[in-house]
Amino acid sequence: MYSGLDPSTLADFQAIVAPFVDQVKSPTAIAGTGDLIRDGMRERCRAELVTDGGGWPLDALFRLRKVVETAFHLGRARSGEWQLLWEITEALSNAKRCRPLSDKSSWQAGLAAAVEALNHSSFRHSMIEGSREEIVARAFTALKRKGYAYTLDGRGALLAQPSFRKMCAKIEDKISRVGGLHTANAMLALMQRLGRIEDGSLLHARTPTMIRSKSNRPTGTPWHFIYNVALKHFAVAPTVINSECVLTDMEELARNLAAALNVEPHSTYENMHISGVGLSGLLHEITLYDELFAFPQWQPSGNTTLVGLWLDALNDRGCRLPTLTRDQWKSVSAGILARSQPAAIVALDVKDLVSSSVSREEASTALELLSQDSGRLNHHYRTPVDTSARTSTQAPIIRTKDKGFFVHPSGVAARAFCERLYTVMRAAGDVDIENKMGSALERLTISLLEQFGIRPSIINGRYTGYPKDQGPEVDLAIETVDRIFLIECTKKPLTNDARRGATLSALRDIEGSFLKLVQQLAGHEAELRTKGEIRFVGGEVLELKGRAIEKIGISLFDHGSLQNRDFTIAFIEAMAGAQISIDVPEGQDVAKAFNKRLYKLDKNLKLITESPGAADRELFNFAMSTWWLSIDQLHYLLKKGNGDLWGSLNDVRHLTTRSGDLVYELKRSLTLNEVGNAMLNMARQTGGRAMI
């Protein structure tokens, strides 16, 4: 867990708390409950430590307690330190800020009161067996035995940089000895056996638990990291006889590496709510988790159709495709995807791309353009944070020295095909390519909806009452008897820098994608809620007529777990009425742009939540009815829902497994047992979410 605390915080706390730990009595030594004394001592503790300005946000106490718990499992803290922090947290419940540790006299007085409160209570909080902190500490203990050093301070337990690099090099060495292609395919086969591939998607689902788990619960395997290291050594021949044994050792080391980075949740209750000060830490955890576990991909069950529609949209918007015609690229992409497999990297031959419209010479040209040299693949990629050096998914095909060609797994290949063509088109020098690509995404979304018989009633509708081309615009609106679906599109991708856990880059990407989408969608909903209609310059009118509103943001490529509803709902609730601050000078422009959007969003949220007939939980209802989907996810939902847009969304709207993976969530929603279905039906009736 990203603590966000100064390195000195743990040592400072332990120095202050040390005299008080031995004063804590065991529960068996307590005579009576002493509730009145306990409550009085808590009030005294609160009076000493609560402050109206400055100091720490109360969230810092929670994070410090997690650091102390990890330290306890590493033998570097006493349980009394943890117990006293819990008691202080109880005393300060509902407070917003507390005094910093530098105010020693207040903390000493607060701890003295906390000791008395604890000694007059028959109840003790206990550490949860199999907690995230215990699992992380277990990984560090195992790594220390193998010679990998770590530090422990206010930031938590962290691998020393030399140990981090040494571990990654050891993982890479084992992969190289087995051979990159063999390792990648062995890993993909293992994912398939473990049920980590669903409808062709390589799942990155977290698997937290709601109950106390066994302390030997395994940590996750960082599939994406292993895959990328393997591709770096793609053409290396195996040099070991017993590859299974080497790969088993490699996987164990990789799991401990992922656990030491401490970005994997182990409880379903983690991060259910976001505090303003905790946002940067959560973004770090989500993005780095995805770099370790999540493959950039398009859901493959309808990839040939989707890629064809994308090529049509590019052509329709005037994008100049490289070398081949649109129909030829359709044929080439169909050949690549037909040859690709969900759970293996397989060989590809030029004849696989030859068709009635594509000659052998043209197929050879396409192969060269769509492939990367295996010798340069991920050449400088060494650790999970080296995302700028990760080139593996920039093209769908790998080219070996002896002119052999291999295609990535189906989902990876489809997205990489689109990314590669986009890169080549952008390099061609079309100054308007970005606008054309944005327009092409809108065209693709329309075409996809029409494939399922869904026809938008509003397309690029510009509000009346504004100077020409300056009013707000609704990208798409779909109407049914009961609902209005408002859709906005953005092609803003998640950058490689954000994927390594760089929170400043992640904030910049969120501002230009999801926050922008929510701001626009909130504006449209506010207009409908307050005026009952939106009038457009083309003469169309979108009338509310008492209908529900669902809002969908569409991106060309997914942003990993950031698009999951667990995050988006909590993000909207946390950001309502908020402003962010960034301490570092290089973050001021990001904070300014972020806060500008938050200000506009809040104005519209107030109009929505205070409109006539608004429910008590209107902010939650707004968040519940807001979606962020990549175009392939929209296609997948519609396909699984037989073209029923509302039915497709409703399958996962009121359910969460806290996995962060839409494909996994949908699978669970469609395979619930009797109890799970009862919970889901109750959540639908009450407008809430069932946690399965």
Side-chain angles (χ1 to χ4, degrees), residues 39-61:
D39 293 346
M41 289 299 104
R42 284 182 176 176
E43 284 299 320
R44 181 182 297 179
C45 179
R46 184 182 181 90
E48 293 290 347
L49 292 178
V50 169
T51 181
D52 293 330
W56 280 358
L58 205 66
D59 182 70
L61 283 183

Side-chain angles (χ1 to χ4, degrees), residues 324 329 332 353 361-371 397:
L324 306 182
W329 278 122
V332 166
L353 308 188
E361 181 180 354
E362 289 166 331
S364 296
T365 300
L367 271 179
E368 291 292 329
L369 188 144
L370 294 172
S371 61
I397 299 167

Side-chain angles (χ1 to χ4, degrees), residues 274-333:
I274 302 174
S275 66
V277 294
L279 176 60
S280 61
L282 182 56
L283 288 176
H284 168 83
E285 288 190 16
I286 290 175
T287 52
L288 185 53
Y289 176 95
D290 283 353
E291 180 58 26
L292 289 163
F293 294 90
F295 291 77
Q297 60 187 319
W298 263 7
Q299 207 295 316
S301 60
N303 269 342
T304 301
T305 298
L306 196 57
V307 171
L309 292 175
W310 182 71
L311 289 166
D312 285 338
L314 293 177
N315 189 71
D316 183 68
R317 292 303 185 254
C319 296
R320 183 176 299 176
L321 295 169
T323 310
L324 306 182
T325 67
R326 171 193 57 181
D327 290 340
Q328 286 176 317
W329 278 122
K330 281 187 177 183
S331 178
V332 166
S333 65

